[in-house]
Amino acid sequence: MSAEKTLDILEQFDFETRALTVPELAARLQQPQSSVYRHMRLLKEKGYLIEYSPGLYSLGYIFLKFAKIVKMDTNLPVISHEAMRELTRTTGETSILLVPSNLQAVCLGAVPSGHPIKVSSEQGNIVPLYGGASSKALLAYMGDLFVEEIFKNGNMIKHTEQTIMDLDEMLIHLEGVRQKGYAFSDSEIDEGVISYGMPIFDSDHKLVASLSVAGPKERVAKRDSQEIVDAIKNAIEKIEKQL
C-alpha cells in the first residue's frame, strides 16, 4: 500500500498543476500531512520530486530521463498499426505509412483493404517524393530548397501523365497542400489510383512520417473526400499522442 500511496502523490501533478505543497497534497489525497510528508521525503531523496521553493514541490528531472528512454523505444510502425487498421476499416481502402529517406521515401507499413490494389507504396518499398499523396504530404513540409534539390537532381521519372515534372508547378501545388492540410493524388504514380495523405509530427513538431489512404479511382472518386480526410486526421491524432 505504501507504493500505491507514493504513486498517488506523483499522479497529482499534471500540466495544469505543476507544483503543490504538502497541505495541498494531503487535502487532495485525504491523508494526514505527516503521512504525505514521509512519502514526499523519500521521493525527494530519490530525485522524483524537487523543492524549488520552500514548501513547494514539483516533479524532478529524473522524469526527463524516463521520457527519453520511452521515446527511444517508440516504434512508429508498431504504435501506428492499430490506428491504421481502424483507418482501413473506416474507409474501406488501403492505409499507408511513409517516412522520408534522403531524396526519396520509404514505406514503413501498409494495411491493405479487403479489395487489394496494386500501388507502389507497399511495405519496404522505396518511392519517389514528388508524386502521390503519401509523398507530397511529406514534401510539402520539407522546405522549398529541398524540393528544388529533388528537381535538379535529374532522377525524376514521369510515371503517368499526371506526374508533376515542373518545379514552379510543384511549389504552387505544395503550397496548396499546406493550406488545405492534406495532399491529394489522382494517378500521379500508379495509374487509376486516388490517394489522400497527411503529415505526422512528433511532440517537438518535427515531421516524422505521412499517413495516407489509397484506392482505385472508380471507387474512391464516389466517396465524400472530407470523410476520408477526417478519418485520416483522426488516425493521425491517435498516433501523434504516442510520439
Side-chain angles (χ1 to χ4, degrees), residues 76-77 80 96-100 106 108 134-135 137-139 141 197-202 206-212 236 239-240 243:
L76 186 58
S80 301
I96 300 164
L97 183 69
L98 211 65
V99 294
V106 178
L108 282 191
S134 306
S135 295
L138 294 171
L139 192 59
Y141 298 90
M198 299 178 71
I200 299 174
F201 298 96
D202 65 14
K206 178 183 176 183
L207 177 70
V208 293
S210 70
L211 181 62
S212 62
I236 287 176
I239 294 170
E240 288 183 337
L243 294 178

PDB file of all heavy atoms in Angstrom, residues 76-77 80 96-100 106 108 134-135 137-139 141 197-202 206-212 236 239-240 243:
ATOM      1  N   LEU A  76       7.539   3.513 -34.525  1.00  0.00           N
ATOM      2  CA  LEU A  76       6.468   4.137 -35.292  1.00  0.00           C
ATOM      3  C   LEU A  76       5.523   3.142 -35.956  1.00  0.00           C
ATOM      4  O   LEU A  76       4.303   3.287 -35.851  1.00  0.00           O
ATOM      5  CB  LEU A  76       7.067   5.099 -36.324  1.00  0.00           C
ATOM      6  CG  LEU A  76       6.076   5.948 -37.120  1.00  0.00           C
ATOM      7  CD1 LEU A  76       5.201   6.791 -36.193  1.00  0.00           C
ATOM      8  CD2 LEU A  76       6.823   6.859 -38.094  1.00  0.00           C
ATOM      9  N   PRO A  77       6.029   2.117 -36.652  1.00  0.00           N
ATOM     10  CA  PRO A  77       5.094   1.158 -37.263  1.00  0.00           C
ATOM     11  C   PRO A  77       4.211   0.453 -36.242  1.00  0.00           C
ATOM     12  O   PRO A  77       3.033   0.197 -36.505  1.00  0.00           O
ATOM     13  CB  PRO A  77       6.032   0.170 -37.976  1.00  0.00           C
ATOM     14  CG  PRO A  77       7.282   0.921 -38.219  1.00  0.00           C
ATOM     15  CD  PRO A  77       7.432   1.819 -37.022  1.00  0.00           C
ATOM     16  N   SER A  80       1.593   2.848 -34.771  1.00  0.00           N
ATOM     17  CA  SER A  80       0.673   3.313 -35.810  1.00  0.00           C
ATOM     18  C   SER A  80      -0.278   2.224 -36.279  1.00  0.00           C
ATOM     19  O   SER A  80      -1.315   2.525 -36.880  1.00  0.00           O
ATOM     20  CB  SER A  80       1.458   3.832 -37.026  1.00  0.00           C
ATOM     21  OG  SER A  80       2.314   4.886 -36.684  1.00  0.00           O
ATOM     22  N   ILE A  96      -1.456   3.687 -45.693  1.00  0.00           N
ATOM     23  CA  ILE A  96      -0.016   3.615 -45.964  1.00  0.00           C
ATOM     24  C   ILE A  96       0.745   4.566 -45.038  1.00  0.00           C
ATOM     25  O   ILE A  96       0.364   5.726 -44.882  1.00  0.00           O
ATOM     26  CB  ILE A  96       0.277   3.983 -47.433  1.00  0.00           C
ATOM     27  CG1 ILE A  96      -0.442   3.009 -48.379  1.00  0.00           C
ATOM     28  CG2 ILE A  96       1.781   3.994 -47.711  1.00  0.00           C
ATOM     29  CD1 ILE A  96      -0.535   3.498 -49.804  1.00  0.00           C
ATOM     30  N   LEU A  97       1.840   4.075 -44.450  1.00  0.00           N
ATOM     31  CA  LEU A  97       2.713   4.867 -43.590  1.00  0.00           C
ATOM     32  C   LEU A  97       4.048   5.058 -44.303  1.00  0.00           C
ATOM     33  O   LEU A  97       4.712   4.087 -44.661  1.00  0.00           O
ATOM     34  CB  LEU A  97       2.931   4.155 -42.254  1.00  0.00           C
ATOM     35  CG  LEU A  97       3.755   4.877 -41.195  1.00  0.00           C
ATOM     36  CD1 LEU A  97       2.997   6.083 -40.651  1.00  0.00           C
ATOM     37  CD2 LEU A  97       4.109   3.924 -40.050  1.00  0.00           C
ATOM     38  N   LEU A  98       4.430   6.319 -44.501  1.00  0.00           N
ATOM     39  CA  LEU A  98       5.621   6.642 -45.284  1.00  0.00           C
ATOM     40  C   LEU A  98       6.543   7.560 -44.490  1.00  0.00           C
ATOM     41  O   LEU A  98       6.077   8.448 -43.777  1.00  0.00           O
ATOM     42  CB  LEU A  98       5.196   7.353 -46.575  1.00  0.00           C
ATOM     43  CG  LEU A  98       6.040   7.169 -47.839  1.00  0.00           C
ATOM     44  CD1 LEU A  98       6.000   5.721 -48.297  1.00  0.00           C
ATOM     45  CD2 LEU A  98       5.509   8.071 -48.950  1.00  0.00           C
ATOM     46  N   VAL A  99       7.869   7.356 -44.629  1.00  0.00           N
ATOM     47  CA  VAL A  99       8.853   8.237 -43.984  1.00  0.00           C
ATOM     48  C   VAL A  99       9.853   8.721 -45.029  1.00  0.00           C
ATOM     49  O   VAL A  99      10.159   8.006 -45.981  1.00  0.00           O
ATOM     50  CB  VAL A  99       9.616   7.525 -42.836  1.00  0.00           C
ATOM     51  CG1 VAL A  99       8.684   7.181 -41.695  1.00  0.00           C
ATOM     52  CG2 VAL A  99      10.325   6.281 -43.348  1.00  0.00           C
ATOM     53  N   PRO A 100      10.369   9.953 -44.859  1.00  0.00           N
ATOM     54  CA  PRO A 100      11.367  10.454 -45.809  1.00  0.00           C
ATOM     55  C   PRO A 100      12.710   9.766 -45.616  1.00  0.00           C
ATOM     56  O   PRO A 100      13.076   9.392 -44.497  1.00  0.00           O
ATOM     57  CB  PRO A 100      11.445  11.947 -45.475  1.00  0.00           C
ATOM     58  CG  PRO A 100      11.035  12.037 -44.044  1.00  0.00           C
ATOM     59  CD  PRO A 100      10.023  10.954 -43.832  1.00  0.00           C
ATOM     60  N   VAL A 106      10.368   5.945 -47.874  1.00  0.00           N
ATOM     61  CA  VAL A 106      10.280   4.505 -47.647  1.00  0.00           C
ATOM     62  C   VAL A 106       8.944   4.185 -46.988  1.00  0.00           C
ATOM     63  O   VAL A 106       8.518   4.870 -46.058  1.00  0.00           O
ATOM     64  CB  VAL A 106      11.425   4.012 -46.739  1.00  0.00           C
ATOM     65  CG1 VAL A 106      11.289   2.512 -46.470  1.00  0.00           C
ATOM     66  CG2 VAL A 106      12.775   4.319 -47.376  1.00  0.00           C
ATOM     67  N   LEU A 108       6.956   2.324 -44.482  1.00  0.00           N
ATOM     68  CA  LEU A 108       7.194   1.573 -43.250  1.00  0.00           C
ATOM     69  C   LEU A 108       6.109   0.541 -42.978  1.00  0.00           C
ATOM     70  O   LEU A 108       6.333  -0.432 -42.276  1.00  0.00           O
ATOM     71  CB  LEU A 108       7.272   2.521 -42.047  1.00  0.00           C
ATOM     72  CG  LEU A 108       8.555   3.306 -41.825  1.00  0.00           C
ATOM     73  CD1 LEU A 108       8.511   3.966 -40.460  1.00  0.00           C
ATOM     74  CD2 LEU A 108       9.783   2.432 -41.943  1.00  0.00           C
ATOM     75  N   SER A 134       0.867  10.325 -50.399  1.00  0.00           N
ATOM     76  CA  SER A 134       1.729   9.951 -49.279  1.00  0.00           C
ATOM     77  C   SER A 134       3.006  10.774 -49.293  1.00  0.00           C
ATOM     78  O   SER A 134       3.445  11.307 -48.268  1.00  0.00           O
ATOM     79  CB  SER A 134       2.104   8.460 -49.359  1.00  0.00           C
ATOM     80  OG  SER A 134       0.972   7.648 -49.460  1.00  0.00           O
ATOM     81  N   SER A 135       3.621  10.858 -50.467  1.00  0.00           N
ATOM     82  CA  SER A 135       4.895  11.565 -50.606  1.00  0.00           C
ATOM     83  C   SER A 135       4.724  13.071 -50.511  1.00  0.00           C
ATOM     84  O   SER A 135       5.506  13.760 -49.841  1.00  0.00           O
ATOM     85  CB  SER A 135       5.541  11.198 -51.945  1.00  0.00           C
ATOM     86  OG  SER A 135       5.889   9.828 -51.971  1.00  0.00           O
ATOM     87  N   ALA A 137       2.533  14.739 -48.958  1.00  0.00           N
ATOM     88  CA  ALA A 137       2.222  15.142 -47.587  1.00  0.00           C
ATOM     89  C   ALA A 137       3.508  15.332 -46.785  1.00  0.00           C
ATOM     90  O   ALA A 137       3.547  16.083 -45.820  1.00  0.00           O
ATOM     91  CB  ALA A 137       1.336  14.098 -46.912  1.00  0.00           C
ATOM     92  N   LEU A 138       4.584  14.657 -47.212  1.00  0.00           N
ATOM     93  CA  LEU A 138       5.903  14.858 -46.619  1.00  0.00           C
ATOM     94  C   LEU A 138       6.605  16.054 -47.256  1.00  0.00           C
ATOM     95  O   LEU A 138       7.085  16.955 -46.578  1.00  0.00           O
ATOM     96  CB  LEU A 138       6.772  13.609 -46.818  1.00  0.00           C
ATOM     97  CG  LEU A 138       6.366  12.323 -46.106  1.00  0.00           C
ATOM     98  CD1 LEU A 138       7.214  11.161 -46.609  1.00  0.00           C
ATOM     99  CD2 LEU A 138       6.501  12.465 -44.602  1.00  0.00           C
ATOM    100  N   LEU A 139       6.654  16.027 -48.580  1.00  0.00           N
ATOM    101  CA  LEU A 139       7.416  17.026 -49.333  1.00  0.00           C
ATOM    102  C   LEU A 139       6.957  18.452 -49.047  1.00  0.00           C
ATOM    103  O   LEU A 139       7.769  19.381 -49.017  1.00  0.00           O
ATOM    104  CB  LEU A 139       7.310  16.733 -50.831  1.00  0.00           C
ATOM    105  CG  LEU A 139       8.251  17.490 -51.766  1.00  0.00           C
ATOM    106  CD1 LEU A 139       9.704  17.211 -51.416  1.00  0.00           C
ATOM    107  CD2 LEU A 139       7.966  17.119 -53.220  1.00  0.00           C
ATOM    108  N   TYR A 141       6.276  19.810 -46.401  1.00  0.00           N
ATOM    109  CA  TYR A 141       6.794  20.342 -45.142  1.00  0.00           C
ATOM    110  C   TYR A 141       8.314  20.181 -45.019  1.00  0.00           C
ATOM    111  O   TYR A 141       8.869  20.283 -43.936  1.00  0.00           O
ATOM    112  CB  TYR A 141       6.093  19.646 -43.970  1.00  0.00           C
ATOM    113  CG  TYR A 141       4.610  19.914 -43.967  1.00  0.00           C
ATOM    114  CD1 TYR A 141       3.729  19.070 -44.653  1.00  0.00           C
ATOM    115  CD2 TYR A 141       4.080  21.035 -43.330  1.00  0.00           C
ATOM    116  CE1 TYR A 141       2.367  19.329 -44.689  1.00  0.00           C
ATOM    117  CE2 TYR A 141       2.716  21.292 -43.358  1.00  0.00           C
ATOM    118  CZ  TYR A 141       1.870  20.439 -44.042  1.00  0.00           C
ATOM    119  OH  TYR A 141       0.529  20.702 -44.074  1.00  0.00           O
ATOM    120  N   GLY A 197      -3.372  12.095 -48.377  1.00  0.00           N
ATOM    121  CA  GLY A 197      -2.338  11.923 -47.363  1.00  0.00           C
ATOM    122  C   GLY A 197      -2.167  13.145 -46.490  1.00  0.00           C
ATOM    123  O   GLY A 197      -2.407  14.273 -46.921  1.00  0.00           O
ATOM    124  N   MET A 198      -1.723  12.912 -45.256  1.00  0.00           N
ATOM    125  CA  MET A 198      -1.480  13.992 -44.305  1.00  0.00           C
ATOM    126  C   MET A 198      -0.185  13.721 -43.549  1.00  0.00           C
ATOM    127  O   MET A 198       0.209  12.561 -43.363  1.00  0.00           O
ATOM    128  CB  MET A 198      -2.645  14.111 -43.313  1.00  0.00           C
ATOM    129  CG  MET A 198      -3.985  14.429 -43.953  1.00  0.00           C
ATOM    130  SD  MET A 198      -5.336  14.505 -42.748  1.00  0.00           S
ATOM    131  CE  MET A 198      -4.928  16.029 -41.900  1.00  0.00           C
ATOM    132  N   PRO A 199       0.504  14.782 -43.096  1.00  0.00           N
ATOM    133  CA  PRO A 199       1.759  14.609 -42.351  1.00  0.00           C
ATOM    134  C   PRO A 199       1.529  14.193 -40.907  1.00  0.00           C
ATOM    135  O   PRO A 199       0.473  14.448 -40.331  1.00  0.00           O
ATOM    136  CB  PRO A 199       2.393  15.992 -42.428  1.00  0.00           C
ATOM    137  CG  PRO A 199       1.219  16.921 -42.458  1.00  0.00           C
ATOM    138  CD  PRO A 199       0.174  16.212 -43.276  1.00  0.00           C
ATOM    139  N   ILE A 200       2.563  13.562 -40.327  1.00  0.00           N
ATOM    140  CA  ILE A 200       2.574  13.198 -38.911  1.00  0.00           C
ATOM    141  C   ILE A 200       3.752  13.920 -38.262  1.00  0.00           C
ATOM    142  O   ILE A 200       4.876  13.851 -38.758  1.00  0.00           O
ATOM    143  CB  ILE A 200       2.734  11.683 -38.713  1.00  0.00           C
ATOM    144  CG1 ILE A 200       1.559  10.923 -39.351  1.00  0.00           C
ATOM    145  CG2 ILE A 200       2.844  11.340 -37.226  1.00  0.00           C
ATOM    146  CD1 ILE A 200       1.721   9.408 -39.311  1.00  0.00           C
ATOM    147  N   PHE A 201       3.491  14.623 -37.163  1.00  0.00           N
ATOM    148  CA  PHE A 201       4.544  15.345 -36.448  1.00  0.00           C
ATOM    149  C   PHE A 201       4.711  14.766 -35.046  1.00  0.00           C
ATOM    150  O   PHE A 201       3.736  14.285 -34.450  1.00  0.00           O
ATOM    151  CB  PHE A 201       4.201  16.831 -36.340  1.00  0.00           C
ATOM    152  CG  PHE A 201       4.080  17.533 -37.670  1.00  0.00           C
ATOM    153  CD1 PHE A 201       2.833  17.700 -38.269  1.00  0.00           C
ATOM    154  CD2 PHE A 201       5.198  18.024 -38.322  1.00  0.00           C
ATOM    155  CE1 PHE A 201       2.706  18.344 -39.492  1.00  0.00           C
ATOM    156  CE2 PHE A 201       5.090  18.670 -39.549  1.00  0.00           C
ATOM    157  CZ  PHE A 201       3.842  18.832 -40.141  1.00  0.00           C
ATOM    158  N   ASP A 202       5.949  14.832 -34.518  1.00  0.00           N
ATOM    159  CA  ASP A 202       6.155  14.355 -33.159  1.00  0.00           C
ATOM    160  C   ASP A 202       5.875  15.472 -32.159  1.00  0.00           C
ATOM    161  O   ASP A 202       5.407  16.554 -32.537  1.00  0.00           O
ATOM    162  CB  ASP A 202       7.565  13.784 -32.980  1.00  0.00           C
ATOM    163  CG  ASP A 202       8.675  14.825 -33.141  1.00  0.00           C
ATOM    164  OD1 ASP A 202       8.370  16.042 -33.137  1.00  0.00           O
ATOM    165  OD2 ASP A 202       9.846  14.424 -33.260  1.00  0.00           O
ATOM    166  N   LYS A 206       8.238  18.104 -35.161  1.00  0.00           N
ATOM    167  CA  LYS A 206       9.137  17.680 -36.233  1.00  0.00           C
ATOM    168  C   LYS A 206       8.417  16.677 -37.132  1.00  0.00           C
ATOM    169  O   LYS A 206       7.748  15.758 -36.654  1.00  0.00           O
ATOM    170  CB  LYS A 206      10.397  17.039 -35.640  1.00  0.00           C
ATOM    171  CG  LYS A 206      11.370  16.521 -36.683  1.00  0.00           C
ATOM    172  CD  LYS A 206      12.553  15.835 -36.016  1.00  0.00           C
ATOM    173  CE  LYS A 206      13.480  15.228 -37.051  1.00  0.00           C
ATOM    174  NZ  LYS A 206      14.603  14.479 -36.399  1.00  0.00           N
ATOM    175  N   LEU A 207       8.546  16.860 -38.436  1.00  0.00           N
ATOM    176  CA  LEU A 207       7.933  15.943 -39.393  1.00  0.00           C
ATOM    177  C   LEU A 207       8.578  14.571 -39.289  1.00  0.00           C
ATOM    178  O   LEU A 207       9.800  14.446 -39.369  1.00  0.00           O
ATOM    179  CB  LEU A 207       8.109  16.486 -40.814  1.00  0.00           C
ATOM    180  CG  LEU A 207       7.582  15.605 -41.963  1.00  0.00           C
ATOM    181  CD1 LEU A 207       6.061  15.574 -41.947  1.00  0.00           C
ATOM    182  CD2 LEU A 207       8.102  16.124 -43.303  1.00  0.00           C
ATOM    183  N   VAL A 208       7.777  13.529 -39.088  1.00  0.00           N
ATOM    184  CA  VAL A 208       8.335  12.185 -38.955  1.00  0.00           C
ATOM    185  C   VAL A 208       7.817  11.210 -40.013  1.00  0.00           C
ATOM    186  O   VAL A 208       8.511  10.258 -40.375  1.00  0.00           O
ATOM    187  CB  VAL A 208       8.068  11.587 -37.555  1.00  0.00           C
ATOM    188  CG1 VAL A 208       8.833  12.351 -36.495  1.00  0.00           C
ATOM    189  CG2 VAL A 208       6.583  11.570 -37.227  1.00  0.00           C
ATOM    190  N   ALA A 209       6.603  11.443 -40.503  1.00  0.00           N
ATOM    191  CA  ALA A 209       6.026  10.487 -41.446  1.00  0.00           C
ATOM    192  C   ALA A 209       4.774  11.080 -42.089  1.00  0.00           C
ATOM    193  O   ALA A 209       4.397  12.220 -41.810  1.00  0.00           O
ATOM    194  CB  ALA A 209       5.665   9.184 -40.725  1.00  0.00           C
ATOM    195  N   SER A 210       4.163  10.292 -42.953  1.00  0.00           N
ATOM    196  CA  SER A 210       2.858  10.664 -43.501  1.00  0.00           C
ATOM    197  C   SER A 210       1.955   9.443 -43.443  1.00  0.00           C
ATOM    198  O   SER A 210       2.427   8.297 -43.453  1.00  0.00           O
ATOM    199  CB  SER A 210       2.982  11.156 -44.948  1.00  0.00           C
ATOM    200  OG  SER A 210       3.305  10.085 -45.825  1.00  0.00           O
ATOM    201  N   LEU A 211       0.672   9.694 -43.372  1.00  0.00           N
ATOM    202  CA  LEU A 211      -0.325   8.623 -43.388  1.00  0.00           C
ATOM    203  C   LEU A 211      -1.298   8.918 -44.508  1.00  0.00           C
ATOM    204  O   LEU A 211      -1.765  10.047 -44.650  1.00  0.00           O
ATOM    205  CB  LEU A 211      -1.061   8.555 -42.043  1.00  0.00           C
ATOM    206  CG  LEU A 211      -2.118   7.455 -41.902  1.00  0.00           C
ATOM    207  CD1 LEU A 211      -1.492   6.077 -42.046  1.00  0.00           C
ATOM    208  CD2 LEU A 211      -2.835   7.575 -40.556  1.00  0.00           C
ATOM    209  N   SER A 212      -1.576   7.909 -45.312  1.00  0.00           N
ATOM    210  CA  SER A 212      -2.465   8.129 -46.458  1.00  0.00           C
ATOM    211  C   SER A 212      -3.423   6.970 -46.654  1.00  0.00           C
ATOM    212  O   SER A 212      -3.250   5.879 -46.096  1.00  0.00           O
ATOM    213  CB  SER A 212      -1.635   8.339 -47.734  1.00  0.00           C
ATOM    214  OG  SER A 212      -0.870   7.186 -48.007  1.00  0.00           O
ATOM    215  N   ILE A 236      -4.277  10.056 -37.315  1.00  0.00           N
ATOM    216  CA  ILE A 236      -3.030  10.745 -37.018  1.00  0.00           C
ATOM    217  C   ILE A 236      -3.030  11.305 -35.605  1.00  0.00           C
ATOM    218  O   ILE A 236      -2.012  11.266 -34.902  1.00  0.00           O
ATOM    219  CB  ILE A 236      -2.769  11.856 -38.054  1.00  0.00           C
ATOM    220  CG1 ILE A 236      -2.355  11.233 -39.393  1.00  0.00           C
ATOM    221  CG2 ILE A 236      -1.693  12.834 -37.574  1.00  0.00           C
ATOM    222  CD1 ILE A 236      -2.155  12.212 -40.515  1.00  0.00           C
ATOM    223  N   ILE A 239      -2.032   8.617 -33.330  1.00  0.00           N
ATOM    224  CA  ILE A 239      -0.610   8.283 -33.439  1.00  0.00           C
ATOM    225  C   ILE A 239       0.235   9.345 -32.761  1.00  0.00           C
ATOM    226  O   ILE A 239       1.172   9.039 -32.004  1.00  0.00           O
ATOM    227  CB  ILE A 239      -0.213   8.140 -34.928  1.00  0.00           C
ATOM    228  CG1 ILE A 239      -0.928   6.937 -35.549  1.00  0.00           C
ATOM    229  CG2 ILE A 239       1.304   7.987 -35.060  1.00  0.00           C
ATOM    230  CD1 ILE A 239      -0.804   6.854 -37.058  1.00  0.00           C
ATOM    231  N   GLU A 240      -0.071  10.621 -33.028  1.00  0.00           N
ATOM    232  CA  GLU A 240       0.735  11.720 -32.501  1.00  0.00           C
ATOM    233  C   GLU A 240       0.694  11.789 -30.977  1.00  0.00           C
ATOM    234  O   GLU A 240       1.651  12.277 -30.354  1.00  0.00           O
ATOM    235  CB  GLU A 240       0.281  13.040 -33.104  1.00  0.00           C
ATOM    236  CG  GLU A 240       0.667  13.188 -34.584  1.00  0.00           C
ATOM    237  CD  GLU A 240       0.285  14.524 -35.184  1.00  0.00           C
ATOM    238  OE1 GLU A 240      -0.644  15.185 -34.630  1.00  0.00           O
ATOM    239  OE2 GLU A 240       0.873  14.898 -36.197  1.00  0.00           O
ATOM    240  N   LEU A 243       3.688   9.967 -29.733  1.00  0.00           N
ATOM    241  CA  LEU A 243       5.028  10.376 -30.185  1.00  0.00           C
ATOM    242  C   LEU A 243       5.644  11.439 -29.257  1.00  0.00           C
ATOM    243  O   LEU A 243       4.926  12.203 -28.655  1.00  0.00           O
ATOM    244  CB  LEU A 243       4.946  10.926 -31.609  1.00  0.00           C
ATOM    245  CG  LEU A 243       4.547   9.928 -32.691  1.00  0.00           C
ATOM    246  CD1 LEU A 243       4.448  10.620 -34.034  1.00  0.00           C
ATOM    247  CD2 LEU A 243       5.567   8.790 -32.775  1.00  0.00           C
TER     248      LEU A 243
END
